[in-house]
Amino acid sequence: MFPNPTVKQVIFQITFPNLFYIENKIGDFQLKIMKEFPQSALLFRRQVLLADIGPESKIAEIPSDLKNETGKKVWHFKSDKNFELHVLGNSLDITSEYHKTYNLEGGDKFRDTIKFVLDCFLEVTKIPIINRIGLRYVDECPIPSKDNSTFKSYYDSIFPLDRFDLADAKEMAFRTVIKRDNYSLIYAESLQQKENEYKLIIDFDGFAENIESKDYLTVTDDLHTIISDEYEKTIRSPVYDYMRQIGGT
């Protein structure tokens, strides 16, 4: 594990058919995870209507029964460390800014947290099929000098720098969805300014669909491998040197 990794956020999510009995199971699930996620709350996620009512329309013309639209219940659990868990009637997600490694020695492993949560959840709910498993990494990578030469020495980027010079760019972005055997990967790069510094944001979102619940960890391991391979193809030696620095100096 590197002392100064570029990863800023990791997200794991599963979706599944609506569980009409989820409210009756949440208490049992909460007891199983309480040691790791001692803070809890019941939230309501409001459903937002986006409507083009046109320049001649008035708000009052929107059907009045929309006022009765109810929100979705979200069971929110939080660790004393900086990661959170949300459960809805058809999904579960873990979002962490704390974990910096999936399965490497030297730090708390995101894989261990996934396994702990999912084993508890599947034991309680008994769901046989997972509609979708997603694993996402958001990396914030250094750009020490905003010029093509330096940038190319740090990254094997998709940006069309032969046509658009990085020094002239205020924003730049690329996104693609590709197949990797039975899995899919959304790969995105974006040039963003953060705290008066430009950063390369690399967003990896791997996913698989229609998985037997017993295979969830094998699939998640495969998704991590795909993401890790793409990350290694994107960064060059100076980025590894940056990650080896203590305290980011």
Side-chain angles (χ1 to χ4, degrees):
M1 177 178 170
F2 292 99
N4 188 39
T6 59
V7 62
K8 295 301 177 185
Q9 186 180 62
V10 289
I11 303 166
F12 170 84
Q13 184 192 56
I14 62 169
T15 63
F16 40 82
N18 271 301
L19 300 181
F20 299 124
Y21 55 82
I22 189 71
E23 286 195 62
N24 297 326
K25 299 291 185 179
I26 284 294
D28 293 337
F29 177 63
Q30 180 183 14
L31 290 176
K32 288 181 176 295
I33 65 169
M34 188 175 290
K35 186 175 180 179
E36 187 69 27
F37 295 88
Q39 304 175 53
S40 59
L42 174 60
L43 309 176
F44 289 88
R45 184 172 295 171
R46 295 184 62 185
Q47 299 193 20
V48 179
L49 174 69
L50 300 178
D52 181 6
I53 59 177
E56 303 301 325
S57 301
K58 299 179 182 179
I59 296 297
E61 294 175 5
I62 298 177
S64 59
D65 60 355
L66 291 176
K67 296 178 181 178
N68 298 321
E69 183 73 28
T70 58
K72 292 184 177 180
K73 287 184 178 180
V74 181
W75 289 272
H76 172 80
F77 304 94
K78 188 173 182 179
S79 170
D80 289 335
K81 300 170 183 177
N82 195 21
F83 55 96
E84 301 180 355
L85 165 65
H86 302 93
V87 179
L88 287 81
N90 65 348
S91 69
L92 176 152
D93 66 78
I94 308 167
T95 301
S96 176
E97 296 180 1
Y98 168 75
H99 293 90
K100 302 302 180 182
T101 179
Y102 179 77
N103 202 29
L104 294 176
E105 298 298 331
D108 289 344
K109 303 172 183 177
F110 194 47
R111 185 183 191 270
D112 289 347
T113 296
I114 293 171
K115 186 177 188 306
F116 169 71
V117 170
L118 261 290
D119 284 354
C120 292
F121 185 74
L122 294 174
E123 182 180 348
V124 168
T125 60
K126 311 295 185 186
I127 58 174
I129 296 293
I130 297 172
N131 290 349
R132 185 182 188 275
I133 294 178
L135 183 65
R136 182 179 180 187
Y137 285 76
V138 180
D139 286 81
E140 187 176 298
C141 303
I143 301 178
S145 179
K146 190 169 166 278
D147 61 80
N148 283 9
S149 177
T150 302
F151 187 79
K152 288 180 178 180
S153 72
Y154 271 63
Y155 306 103
D156 184 6
S157 171
I158 308 298
F159 290 162
L161 299 182
D162 293 337
R163 180 174 179 183
F164 300 106
D165 197 298
L166 193 71
D168 299 327
K170 292 184 178 180
E171 295 180 8
M172 197 173 287
F174 171 86
R175 181 180 183 273
T176 186
V177 183
I178 56 174
K179 293 289 293 181
R180 286 288 186 267
D181 297 323
N182 295 324
Y183 306 127
S184 297
L185 175 69
I186 302 172
Y187 175 90
E189 292 181 24
S190 61
L191 175 71
Q192 298 181 21
Q193 190 171 12
K194 292 180 174 289
E195 299 178 354
N196 299 318
E197 291 183 343
Y198 278 94
K199 302 284 186 179
L200 177 66
I201 309 301
I202 312 177
D203 192 335
F204 307 89
D205 190 353
F207 61 94
E209 296 176 319
N210 299 321
I211 303 102
E212 291 189 37
S213 59
K214 64 180 178 63
D215 297 327
Y216 83 86
L217 197 57
T218 298
V219 170
T220 306
D221 286 344
D222 289 345
L223 293 174
H224 168 73
T225 298
I226 291 169
I227 291 170
S228 181
D229 288 347
E230 289 299 327
Y231 179 76
E232 292 174 2
K233 292 176 183 176
T234 303
I235 65 171
R236 299 185 188 274
S237 294
V239 183
Y240 287 105
D241 294 337
Y242 168 87
M243 292 193 291
R244 292 187 186 101
Q245 296 171 359
I246 304 298
T249 59

